[in-house]
Short mmCIF file of all heavy atoms in Angstrom, two decimals:
data_model
loop_
_atom_site.label_atom_id
_atom_site.label_comp_id
_atom_site.label_asym_id
_atom_site.label_seq_id
_atom_site.Cartn_x
_atom_site.Cartn_y
_atom_site.Cartn_z
N THR D 1 113.78 99.65 81.76
CA THR D 1 115.19 99.43 82.10
C THR D 1 115.49 97.97 82.42
O THR D 1 116.65 97.57 82.37
CB THR D 1 115.60 100.29 83.31
OG1 THR D 1 114.83 99.89 84.46
CG2 THR D 1 115.43 101.77 83.03
N GLY D 2 114.48 97.20 82.79
CA GLY D 2 114.70 95.82 83.21
C GLY D 2 115.26 95.69 84.62
O GLY D 2 115.59 94.61 85.07
N VAL D 3 115.33 96.82 85.32
CA VAL D 3 115.82 96.85 86.70
C VAL D 3 114.61 96.89 87.61
O VAL D 3 113.70 97.69 87.39
CB VAL D 3 116.71 98.09 86.94
CG1 VAL D 3 117.11 98.21 88.40
CG2 VAL D 3 117.95 98.03 86.05
N PRO D 4 114.57 96.06 88.67
CA PRO D 4 113.44 96.17 89.59
C PRO D 4 113.44 97.54 90.26
O PRO D 4 114.44 97.94 90.87
CB PRO D 4 113.68 95.06 90.61
CG PRO D 4 114.97 94.41 90.28
CD PRO D 4 115.52 95.02 89.04
N ILE D 5 112.35 98.25 90.10
CA ILE D 5 112.16 99.53 90.77
C ILE D 5 110.95 99.34 91.68
O ILE D 5 109.83 99.15 91.21
CB ILE D 5 111.94 100.69 89.79
CG1 ILE D 5 113.13 100.79 88.82
CG2 ILE D 5 111.76 102.00 90.56
CD1 ILE D 5 112.99 101.88 87.76
N ILE D 6 111.20 99.37 92.96
CA ILE D 6 110.18 99.06 93.96
C ILE D 6 109.39 100.32 94.30
O ILE D 6 109.96 101.37 94.60
CB ILE D 6 110.84 98.48 95.23
CG1 ILE D 6 111.74 97.29 94.89
CG2 ILE D 6 109.77 98.12 96.27
CD1 ILE D 6 111.07 96.15 94.15
N PHE D 7 108.07 100.21 94.26
CA PHE D 7 107.20 101.34 94.55
C PHE D 7 106.91 101.38 96.05
O PHE D 7 106.01 100.71 96.55
CB PHE D 7 105.89 101.22 93.76
CG PHE D 7 105.04 102.45 93.82
CD1 PHE D 7 105.45 103.61 93.18
CD2 PHE D 7 103.84 102.44 94.50
CE1 PHE D 7 104.66 104.76 93.22
CE2 PHE D 7 103.04 103.58 94.54
CZ PHE D 7 103.45 104.74 93.90
N GLY D 8 107.72 102.14 96.76
CA GLY D 8 107.56 102.31 98.20
C GLY D 8 106.94 103.65 98.55
O GLY D 8 107.21 104.21 99.60
N VAL D 9 106.11 104.15 97.64
CA VAL D 9 105.41 105.42 97.88
C VAL D 9 104.06 105.08 98.50
O VAL D 9 103.26 104.37 97.89
CB VAL D 9 105.21 106.20 96.57
CG1 VAL D 9 104.42 107.49 96.82
CG2 VAL D 9 106.55 106.51 95.91
N ILE D 10 103.86 105.54 99.71
CA ILE D 10 102.57 105.25 100.35
C ILE D 10 101.56 106.31 99.93
O ILE D 10 101.90 107.48 99.76
CB ILE D 10 102.68 105.15 101.89
CG1 ILE D 10 103.20 106.44 102.51
CG2 ILE D 10 103.57 103.97 102.28
CD1 ILE D 10 103.15 106.45 104.02
N THR D 11 100.33 105.88 99.74
CA THR D 11 99.24 106.78 99.40
C THR D 11 98.15 106.57 100.45
O THR D 11 97.68 105.45 100.64
CB THR D 11 98.70 106.48 97.99
OG1 THR D 11 98.30 105.11 97.91
CG2 THR D 11 99.77 106.74 96.93
N THR D 12 97.82 107.64 101.13
CA THR D 12 96.87 107.51 102.23
C THR D 12 95.81 108.61 102.18
O THR D 12 95.99 109.63 101.53
CB THR D 12 97.58 107.60 103.60
OG1 THR D 12 98.15 108.89 103.77
CG2 THR D 12 98.66 106.54 103.73
N GLU D 13 94.75 108.35 102.88
CA GLU D 13 93.67 109.33 103.01
C GLU D 13 93.98 110.39 104.06
O GLU D 13 93.54 111.52 103.94
CB GLU D 13 92.35 108.62 103.36
CG GLU D 13 91.87 107.65 102.31
CD GLU D 13 91.43 108.34 101.03
OE1 GLU D 13 90.80 109.41 101.11
OE2 GLU D 13 91.73 107.80 99.95
N THR D 14 94.73 109.97 105.10
CA THR D 14 94.97 110.88 106.23
C THR D 14 96.43 110.83 106.68
O THR D 14 97.14 109.86 106.39
CB THR D 14 94.09 110.49 107.45
OG1 THR D 14 94.52 109.20 107.91
CG2 THR D 14 92.61 110.45 107.11
N ILE D 15 96.81 111.84 107.42
CA ILE D 15 98.15 111.87 108.02
C ILE D 15 98.31 110.71 109.00
O ILE D 15 99.37 110.08 109.06
CB ILE D 15 98.41 113.22 108.72
CG1 ILE D 15 98.54 114.32 107.66
CG2 ILE D 15 99.64 113.16 109.60
CD1 ILE D 15 98.62 115.72 108.22
N GLU D 16 97.27 110.40 109.73
CA GLU D 16 97.33 109.31 110.70
C GLU D 16 97.64 107.98 110.02
O GLU D 16 98.43 107.17 110.52
CB GLU D 16 96.01 109.21 111.48
CG GLU D 16 95.75 110.37 112.43
CD GLU D 16 95.28 111.64 111.72
OE1 GLU D 16 94.77 111.56 110.58
OE2 GLU D 16 95.45 112.73 112.30
N GLN D 17 97.02 107.73 108.87
CA GLN D 17 97.31 106.51 108.12
C GLN D 17 98.75 106.49 107.65
O GLN D 17 99.41 105.45 107.68
CB GLN D 17 96.38 106.39 106.92
CG GLN D 17 94.95 106.06 107.27
CD GLN D 17 94.06 106.08 106.03
OE1 GLN D 17 94.40 106.64 104.99
NE2 GLN D 17 92.87 105.47 106.16
N ALA D 18 99.25 107.63 107.21
CA ALA D 18 100.65 107.72 106.76
C ALA D 18 101.60 107.41 107.91
O ALA D 18 102.58 106.67 107.74
CB ALA D 18 100.94 109.10 106.18
N ILE D 19 101.33 107.96 109.06
CA ILE D 19 102.17 107.71 110.24
C ILE D 19 102.15 106.22 110.58
O ILE D 19 103.19 105.63 110.89
CB ILE D 19 101.71 108.57 111.43
CG1 ILE D 19 102.01 110.04 111.15
CG2 ILE D 19 102.36 108.11 112.73
CD1 ILE D 19 101.37 111.02 112.12
N GLU D 20 100.98 105.60 110.50
CA GLU D 20 100.87 104.17 110.78
C GLU D 20 101.68 103.34 109.80
O GLU D 20 102.36 102.39 110.17
CB GLU D 20 99.39 103.77 110.72
CG GLU D 20 99.13 102.32 111.01
CD GLU D 20 97.64 101.98 110.90
OE1 GLU D 20 96.83 102.72 111.49
OE2 GLU D 20 97.33 100.99 110.22
N ARG D 21 101.64 103.69 108.52
CA ARG D 21 102.36 102.91 107.49
C ARG D 21 103.86 103.16 107.49
O ARG D 21 104.61 102.45 106.85
CB ARG D 21 101.77 103.21 106.12
CG ARG D 21 100.37 102.64 106.01
CD ARG D 21 99.80 102.76 104.65
NE ARG D 21 98.46 102.19 104.66
CZ ARG D 21 97.47 102.64 103.94
NH1 ARG D 21 97.65 103.64 103.13
NH2 ARG D 21 96.29 102.08 104.03
N ALA D 22 104.28 104.19 108.21
CA ALA D 22 105.72 104.47 108.33
C ALA D 22 106.17 104.19 109.76
O ALA D 22 107.18 104.71 110.22
CB ALA D 22 106.00 105.91 107.95
N GLY D 23 105.44 103.34 110.45
CA GLY D 23 105.68 103.09 111.87
C GLY D 23 106.80 102.13 112.16
O GLY D 23 107.85 102.16 111.54
N THR D 24 106.53 101.22 113.05
CA THR D 24 107.54 100.26 113.50
C THR D 24 107.93 99.32 112.37
O THR D 24 107.30 99.30 111.32
CB THR D 24 107.01 99.43 114.68
OG1 THR D 24 105.89 98.66 114.22
CG2 THR D 24 106.59 100.30 115.84
N ARG D 25 108.94 98.53 112.59
CA ARG D 25 109.46 97.62 111.56
C ARG D 25 108.36 96.76 110.95
O ARG D 25 108.34 96.54 109.75
CB ARG D 25 110.55 96.74 112.16
CG ARG D 25 111.21 95.85 111.14
CD ARG D 25 112.43 95.16 111.69
NE ARG D 25 112.13 94.22 112.75
CZ ARG D 25 111.95 92.92 112.56
NH1 ARG D 25 112.03 92.41 111.37
NH2 ARG D 25 111.71 92.13 113.57
N LEU D 26 107.44 96.29 111.75
CA LEU D 26 106.39 95.39 111.24
C LEU D 26 105.38 96.12 110.35
O LEU D 26 104.75 95.49 109.51
CB LEU D 26 105.69 94.69 112.39
CG LEU D 26 106.57 93.75 113.21
CD1 LEU D 26 105.80 93.17 114.39
CD2 LEU D 26 107.11 92.63 112.33
N THR D 27 105.22 97.42 110.54
CA THR D 27 104.25 98.16 109.73
C THR D 27 104.90 99.22 108.86
O THR D 27 104.21 99.97 108.21
CB THR D 27 103.19 98.83 110.63
OG1 THR D 27 103.85 99.75 111.52
CG2 THR D 27 102.41 97.82 111.44
N ASN D 28 106.20 99.25 108.82
CA ASN D 28 106.90 100.27 108.04
C ASN D 28 107.00 99.81 106.58
O ASN D 28 107.65 98.82 106.27
CB ASN D 28 108.29 100.52 108.64
CG ASN D 28 109.00 101.67 107.98
OD1 ASN D 28 109.23 101.67 106.78
ND2 ASN D 28 109.37 102.66 108.77
N ARG D 29 106.35 100.55 105.69
CA ARG D 29 106.34 100.19 104.27
C ARG D 29 107.71 100.37 103.64
O ARG D 29 108.02 99.74 102.64
CB ARG D 29 105.29 101.00 103.52
CG ARG D 29 103.86 100.78 104.01
CD ARG D 29 103.47 99.31 103.94
NE ARG D 29 102.12 99.11 104.41
CZ ARG D 29 101.77 98.33 105.42
NH1 ARG D 29 102.68 97.66 106.08
NH2 ARG D 29 100.51 98.21 105.77
N GLY D 30 108.56 101.22 104.22
CA GLY D 30 109.93 101.34 103.75
C GLY D 30 110.70 100.05 104.00
O GLY D 30 111.49 99.61 103.16
N PHE D 31 110.49 99.45 105.17
CA PHE D 31 111.12 98.16 105.49
C PHE D 31 110.68 97.12 104.47
O PHE D 31 111.50 96.37 103.94
CB PHE D 31 110.73 97.75 106.91
CG PHE D 31 111.51 96.57 107.44
CD1 PHE D 31 112.69 96.77 108.15
CD2 PHE D 31 111.07 95.28 107.24
CE1 PHE D 31 113.42 95.69 108.63
CE2 PHE D 31 111.79 94.19 107.72
CZ PHE D 31 112.97 94.39 108.42
N GLU D 32 109.39 97.08 104.19
CA GLU D 32 108.86 96.12 103.21
C GLU D 32 109.44 96.36 101.82
O GLU D 32 109.73 95.42 101.09
CB GLU D 32 107.33 96.21 103.15
CG GLU D 32 106.66 95.69 104.38
CD GLU D 32 105.15 95.85 104.34
OE1 GLU D 32 104.62 96.41 103.34
OE2 GLU D 32 104.49 95.43 105.30
N ALA D 33 109.62 97.63 101.44
CA ALA D 33 110.19 97.95 100.13
C ALA D 33 111.62 97.44 100.03
O ALA D 33 112.03 96.91 98.99
CB ALA D 33 110.13 99.46 99.89
#
């Protein structure tokens, strides 16, 4: 499409890692996306 499509899908080994990556602004991968 030529449109930037940002991959903000986190892939983790554990639920704990997922919670960490969706945490506060500094560690939230959605914020980074």
Side-chain angles (χ1 to χ4, degrees):
T1 63
V3 174
I5 303 178
I6 307 304
F7 190 69
V9 178
I10 60 172
T11 56
T12 65
E13 297 292 321
T14 65
I15 290 173
E16 292 77 21
Q17 288 175 343
I19 291 169
E20 181 181 312
R21 291 186 180 146
T24 64
R25 185 170 66 94
L26 296 176
T27 61
N28 186 301
R29 299 303 180 238
F31 190 91
E32 290 177 359

